[in-house]
Amino acid sequence: MGNLINKAERRFGKYCIRGLMKYIVAIEIAGAVIGMINPIIYYAYLSLDFVAIAHGQIWRLFTFLLYPGLTGFNVFDILIFGIMTWVYYSIGTSLEYSWGTFRFNLYYLSGIVLSIIAGLVISLLPGYNIWPVGFTYINQALFLAFAVMFPDVQFLLFYIVPVKAKWLGIFYVLVMALDVFSLIFSGNMNGIINAVAIIISMLNFIIFFLSSRSGGKTSFKTHKRRAEFRSKAAPKVQPIYRHRCAICGRTERDGADLEFRYCSKCEGNYEYCSDHIFTHEHVRR
């Protein structure tokens, strides 16, 4: 698998999308706007409906990603949507930096393909021709990958309680496993097919997890270590900037809207941009 990915990167790496999360966020915001206007638009014309696709509405294979994350002008819901979108954006940019653009593209885009396959499986159920998920399982697989790569990064549960990513990841896996087993042992075919669809949707994380545990030259964790080594081994030159992110290396010259802050939990003088101030691993001597 690793050698295959390396060959694909050498051949198709020039076509990968840099800063993919910016486009993902734009799609999620567009979906939220559609939901606030009228969510029926999504289900009637944009959702992953294989009966409609069989009748020529091929665009649904792409527009299903415009899932309405909001269904009204509720201020609290809009705030939560904004926070979660920012969290996933930060997680995605951190993983792209650690893995490289091609491997991050591969992980995310394979999640989209698997969501389509899961929708096809769901369509086998009578009356279940629509699979309204959007980026739901793709982002969940993204978070689980982040928890494996950066297990000690802390998130504020309920914006108060600090919890490490690895514990959130373990909790989420247990909850999902409970859901899958309850569907499988529900005794009806609908539950089994739904469970299969969920497993298919998360296959990219399962494959990633197995490859990251191998520790070989092509594992994702190896690419993370290489990125960290390149960052630390970069030649020291006299800086021509005032602020520089210790993770991605961006400075105030890369954008007037970039903000930088020092981390009080890191042992040393480490400064991070707004994308990495909450997602980096704290430096310990």
Side-chain angles (χ1 to χ4, degrees):
M1 177 63 72
N3 290 330
L4 184 62
I5 293 176
N6 285 337
K7 290 179 181 179
E9 184 174 8
R10 286 193 294 269
R11 185 171 182 179
F12 303 108
K14 59 184 178 181
Y15 301 112
C16 63
I17 304 171
R18 298 188 182 279
L20 178 63
M21 288 307 299
K22 292 185 293 186
Y23 304 100
I24 300 301
V25 167
I27 293 172
E28 290 189 304
I29 292 175
V33 171
I34 292 173
M36 289 189 289
I37 295 173
N38 187 352
I40 295 177
I41 295 174
Y42 173 80
Y43 294 98
Y45 305 106
L46 306 174
S47 62
L48 196 61
D49 184 338
F50 278 92
V51 173
I53 291 172
H55 286 82
Q57 297 183 18
I58 305 298
W59 64 82
R60 291 175 179 266
L61 291 172
F62 307 95
T63 57
F64 81 95
L65 296 171
L66 292 165
Y67 178 76
L70 295 172
T71 55
F73 290 90
N74 184 290
V75 176
F76 180 76
D77 289 343
I78 293 174
L79 178 62
I80 295 299
F81 172 81
I83 293 173
M84 294 307 300
T85 301
W86 174 255
V87 168
Y88 283 122
Y89 172 79
S90 300
I91 287 173
T93 52
S94 296
L95 289 177
E96 180 176 357
Y97 173 78
S98 297
W99 293 346
T101 300
F102 180 81
R103 280 172 167 75
F104 179 73
N105 275 221
L106 181 64
Y107 187 80
Y108 215 100
L109 297 179
S110 64
I112 294 175
V113 173
L114 289 169
S115 291
I116 295 174
I117 295 173
L120 182 59
V121 172
I122 285 291
S123 68
L124 299 175
L125 294 173
Y128 282 83
N129 53 300
I130 294 179
W131 179 238
V133 291
F135 289 111
T136 303
Y137 290 111
I138 303 171
N139 282 338
Q140 289 170 356
L142 195 72
F143 174 77
L144 290 178
F146 182 85
V148 172
M149 295 290 293
F150 305 98
D152 294 322
V153 171
Q154 290 187 339
F155 291 86
L156 290 179
L157 188 63
F158 306 116
Y159 312 108
I160 299 174
V161 183
V163 181
K164 289 186 177 181
K166 61 182 177 182
W167 300 122
L168 289 176
I170 291 172
F171 174 77
Y172 179 76
V173 168
L174 291 175
V175 170
M176 177 173 287
L178 181 63
D179 288 342
V180 169
F181 281 117
S182 63
L183 288 170
I184 291 175
F185 295 106
S186 62
N188 63 76
M189 186 58 64
N190 288 5
I192 294 175
I193 292 181
N194 271 284
V196 171
I198 293 174
I199 294 172
I200 291 174
S201 297
M202 300 298 291
L203 270 179
N204 60 335
F205 168 72
I206 296 172
I207 295 171
F208 152 79
F209 181 78
L210 293 176
S211 65
S212 69
R213 302 300 295 177
S214 67
K217 294 181 180 180
T218 57
S219 72
F220 285 91
K221 282 194 172 183
T222 300
H223 282 272
K224 175 193 171 186
R225 290 193 294 269
R226 287 176 179 173
E228 291 175 345
F229 174 79
R230 286 194 299 268
S231 177
K232 294 177 181 179
K236 301 296 185 294
V237 298
Q238 184 65 28
I240 54 174
Y241 47 79
R242 295 182 58 189
H243 305 285
R244 182 177 184 276
C245 178
I247 297 295
C248 64
R250 289 186 297 177
T251 70
E252 70 272 13
R253 290 175 173 266
D254 294 311
D257 57 336
L258 287 175
E259 296 181 0
F260 298 86
R261 280 188 277 175
Y262 288 95
C263 178
S264 60
K265 295 183 179 180
C266 289
E267 296 181 1
N269 193 24
Y270 292 92
E271 190 175 19
Y272 303 93
C273 67
S274 52
D275 291 344
H276 298 111
I277 184 64
F278 297 113
T279 58
H280 68 275
E281 289 186 273
H282 297 300
V283 178
R284 297 285 186 265
R285 293 178 180 175

